[in-house]
Amino acid sequence: MVDRRFNVLPGFGLTMGYTLLYLGLIVLLPVAGLFLRLAGVSFEEFWRMATTERAVAAYRLTFGASFVAATINAVFGTVVAWVLVRYHFPGKRFFDALVDFPFALPTAVAGLTLSNLYAETGWLGRFLVPLGIHGAFTSLGVVIALTFIGLPFVVRTLQPVLEHFDHEVEEAAATLGAGRLRTFVSIIGPTLLPTIITGFALAFARAIGEYGSVIFIAGNKPYESEIAPLLIVIRLEEYDYTGAIAIAVVLLFISFGLLVVINLLERWASRYEN
Amino acid sequence: MAGEGIQESRLVRWGLIAVAGTFLGLFLLLPLVNVFVQAFAEGWSGYLEALRQPDTLAAIRLTLTVAAIVVPLNVVFGVAAAWAVAKFEFRGKPLLITLIDLPFSISPVVAGLVFMVLFGTQGYFGEWLLERDIKILFALPGIALATLFVTFPFVARELIPVMQATGSEQEQAALTLGANGWQTFWRVTLPSVKWGLLYGIILCNARAMGEFGAVSVVSGHITGLTDTMPLRVEKLYQEYDATGAFAVASLLALLALLTLGFKTCLEWQQQRAYERAQRAVKSADAPSS
């Protein structure tokens, strides 16, 4: 099973044993415990708890807002990646470093500052609210928070691909008389599309589980601006463990499904590499 | 950079730069600047006063304690996992890597819930713990466990590719020359992966100090006792103490900026090393051509 005959390095047993033990204790057994709690529950019962009217409204908001936010990031993230790779302009390095900011900033801080910006008295809210655009304490706030959270994914997935993009193909198209727009639409765009969709899927997957930033800005009204992870917390506060687990299991299955999809997408995106 | 005919017109170029700049300015720069402006809304004295609240100081202490417990544990795991995965071939390696990454794809709230199901009053060990008066939830152990779970992959994930890239020839040479396993690890492996390891530690630390969802579920929100810094931000915000909330938030934002600064420096340093190597290759090639 293990080809270690030609490997003189020591420590495989020790490090592998420790890795499996720690992984089991901290991650696998606790997660398995969650599923085990549903063992005594019939499927009908589980389905009833997982699909109450309030839960369905929460899924709809979670998936809808995540989809919109990931789409915004797919469009603008592509522009940002293009600009950062292809052009020179003052402050480029600063903006490039800043793209990772949502990865590094605690979600509570993101939620706090975004809700402050879009509230009636905030820097953006004082212009937007008179126009009827309420960014804070509405479902629009969920989209704003999730756009912030997902911003780095499309940019960071696309950047290395753009950097290695073969200029010769573009030159060939130009030589054959294609305009810049035509080259983009029929050559560059289709080549980048799998990578953009991969970035979209990563941002979408991240957004579905997001909690911290959203609850600050969403207003959290049942049926209206309440996301699925928040409903888990509410069920727990009501001591309804099984109800909380039912919603959690739905989210887990979707996350695992997305993980498989992302793996397939990454394989599709790198199909030209070999 | 690009040749003739494959460059957009000036107008398109600056138009796209303007779109990208506006998007990043609106979604990244403005929220960042806003944190510090709001934190200093009542001046330096107001800022310091906000941070000097006893419950806020307690939250800072708790966050530092949690990070001091969690980061070393995940570093030991990360190094062990990277050694096993990067230096040896075995069946099921992709599965192991997927499992190590698992906490990244689980919602933080679900991560917290997992520990409620284990240790809560209705959980598997709830009664057993209650009888013995052992507190895990709504106390430091629960907060540390939830944080351990969400920051689990960071060090391993940074270290595995770095260790794979360095290969194992140097270790084999050291062993052949009579070094034992530990000496090889400390003197050969560790120096060659130190930057990757440091980056993993810094990412792990940033997330450990900033985690909200998972900790929020297991902490119990007891003011002055089980509120970490992010939870303290939420509580101050709910109490309409904007300056207080933003003051704590500014410390966390500063941590994020330091993390980013370190990452950027590391990337520039690697870029320079790469360019130096390229030049060395070129000048070595020059005489023969």
Side-chain angles (χ1 to χ4, degrees):
Chain A
M1 168 187 151
V2 181
D3 186 24
R4 271 172 295 156
R5 277 168 300 170
F6 304 110
N7 198 335
V8 294
L9 292 189
F12 180 76
L14 177 71
T15 55
M16 188 54 130
Y18 185 71
T19 300
L20 292 178
L21 178 75
Y22 193 76
L23 178 70
L25 282 179
I26 302 292
V27 178
L28 298 185
L29 286 178
V31 173
L34 192 74
F35 285 97
L36 215 62
R37 268 297 283 253
L38 286 179
V41 181
S42 73
F43 184 76
E44 285 77 24
E45 180 74 354
F46 162 76
W47 194 247
R48 195 185 55 73
M49 283 187 294
T51 59
T52 59
E53 209 184 322
R54 190 170 170 186
V56 171
Y59 299 137
R60 198 173 293 148
L61 176 64
T62 298
F63 296 122
S66 300
F67 186 86
V68 175
T71 307
I72 294 173
N73 277 323
V75 174
F76 289 98
T78 304
V79 177
V80 170
W82 179 268
V83 161
L84 286 177
V85 172
R86 291 281 173 114
Y87 302 153
H88 290 282
F89 55 93
K92 174 174 156 167
R93 281 185 144 187
F94 170 76
F95 278 111
D96 192 14
L98 195 66
V99 167
D100 280 330
F101 188 55
F103 281 157
L105 191 73
T107 53
V109 181
L112 177 74
T113 180
L114 286 172
S115 76
N116 180 278
L117 279 177
Y118 288 91
E120 221 169 322
T121 52
W123 289 350
L124 294 170
R126 71 180 63 156
F127 303 112
L128 295 175
V129 171
L131 298 174
I133 303 170
H134 296 271
F137 317 122
T138 58
S139 52
L140 178 63
V142 182
V143 175
I144 294 171
L146 295 180
T147 305
F148 176 86
I149 293 300
L151 197 147
F153 288 99
V154 174
V155 183
R156 290 300 186 229
T157 321
L158 203 50
Q159 259 177 328
V161 178
L162 266 177
E163 267 158 20
H164 295 117
F165 196 82
D166 202 348
H167 282 292
E168 282 172 23
V169 188
E170 292 172 60
E171 277 160 10
T175 317
L176 293 170
R180 207 47 203 149
L181 187 66
R182 174 120 188 254
T183 310
F184 192 88
V185 170
S186 48
I187 293 175
I188 304 174
T191 319
L192 296 183
L193 197 62
T195 315
I196 296 173
I197 296 176
T198 307
F200 169 89
L202 287 168
F204 183 71
R206 171 77 174 78
I208 283 177
E210 177 55 21
Y211 175 72
S213 61
V214 173
I215 62 155
F216 278 83
I217 195 174
N220 309 321
K221 289 189 216 66
Y223 300 100
E224 210 176 283
S225 53
E226 182 180 70
I227 52 165
L230 175 62
L231 197 53
I232 296 177
V233 174
I234 290 170
R235 290 277 177 266
L236 265 179
E237 281 167 358
E238 295 165 345
Y239 297 102
D240 179 7
Y241 276 37
T242 328
I245 295 170
I247 300 169
V249 164
V250 171
L251 286 188
L252 277 176
F253 269 114
I254 289 161
S255 303
F256 295 160
L258 279 169
L259 209 62
V260 174
V261 170
I262 289 166
N263 265 319
L264 292 174
L265 279 171
E266 276 169 351
R267 220 171 291 170
W268 181 38
S270 62
R271 71 200 187 283
Y272 295 127
E273 269 171 27
N274 298 319
Chain B
M1 187 170 112
E4 279 301 311
I6 65 161
Q7 177 75 278
E8 292 79 29
S9 71
R10 243 181 115 77
L11 191 70
V12 174
R13 229 159 45 218
W14 283 102
L16 287 175
I17 291 173
V19 170
T22 311
F23 181 65
L24 293 181
L26 214 56
F27 273 96
L28 298 185
L29 204 53
L30 207 57
L32 170 63
V33 173
N34 192 45
V35 171
F36 292 98
V37 170
Q38 300 298 332
F40 288 99
E42 290 169 31
W44 256 105
S45 58
Y47 179 75
L48 289 177
E49 203 176 314
L51 286 182
R52 260 194 238 120
Q53 292 179 40
D55 293 335
T56 296
L57 288 176
I60 296 173
R61 258 196 307 275
L62 179 61
T63 290
L64 293 175
T65 312
V66 170
I69 296 169
V70 166
V71 175
L73 283 172
N74 277 341
V75 167
V76 172
F77 159 73
V79 171
W83 183 268
V85 169
K87 303 288 183 191
F88 298 92
E89 290 307 318
F90 53 90
R91 216 189 290 166
K93 195 193 269 197
L95 178 68
L96 181 63
I97 294 175
T98 307
L99 289 178
I100 289 174
D101 273 347
L102 199 62
F104 276 155
S105 50
I106 292 179
S107 172
V109 170
V110 177
L113 173 68
V114 154
F115 292 101
M116 289 295 283
V117 170
L118 281 181
F119 304 117
T121 43
Q122 295 178 41
Y124 292 106
F125 304 109
E127 259 177 52
W128 190 89
L129 291 168
L130 206 63
E131 279 164 16
R132 281 155 190 80
D133 202 24
I134 304 171
K135 273 191 109 43
I136 291 187
L137 288 178
F138 314 139
L140 181 62
I143 297 172
L145 271 174
T147 311
L148 215 48
F149 184 100
V150 290
T151 60
F152 182 85
F154 280 100
V155 180
R157 198 182 220 206
E158 289 305 318
L159 214 47
I160 288 171
V162 180
M163 262 200 201
Q164 268 169 342
T166 54
S168 45
E169 283 89 0
Q170 293 185 18
E171 281 89 352
Q172 280 168 6
L175 289 165
T176 316
L177 293 169
N180 67 33
W182 285 111
Q183 285 171 326
T184 309
F185 174 75
W186 284 109
R187 300 212 185 146
V188 178
T189 309
L190 210 53
S192 66
V193 299
K194 62 175 186 277
W195 293 112
L197 178 62
L198 195 58
Y199 184 43
I201 292 172
I202 279 172
L203 282 184
C204 180
N205 178 64
R207 183 68 194 268
M209 289 189 170
E211 176 51 28
F212 181 81
V215 171
S216 168
V217 172
V218 298
S219 117
H221 303 267
I222 310 165
T223 305
L225 277 180
T226 64
D227 273 345
T228 59
M229 283 168 79
L231 296 181
R232 184 73 191 145
V233 170
E234 186 198 22
K235 194 162 280 174
L236 289 166
Y237 170 77
Q238 284 167 347
E239 291 167 357
Y240 299 104
D241 181 356
T243 308
F246 274 103
V248 182
S250 74
L251 294 181
L252 291 168
L254 205 62
L255 175 72
L257 286 179
L258 287 175
T259 306
L260 276 193
F262 179 80
K263 174 182 187 276
T264 309
C265 286
L266 210 63
E267 276 170 1
W268 289 353
Q269 182 205 344
Q270 275 167 352
Q271 180 76 25
R272 272 200 303 275
Y274 175 76
E275 278 161 12
R276 259 202 311 276
Q278 291 276 310
R279 272 200 303 276
V281 169
K282 264 191 199 134
S283 59
D285 281 349
S288 61
S289 60

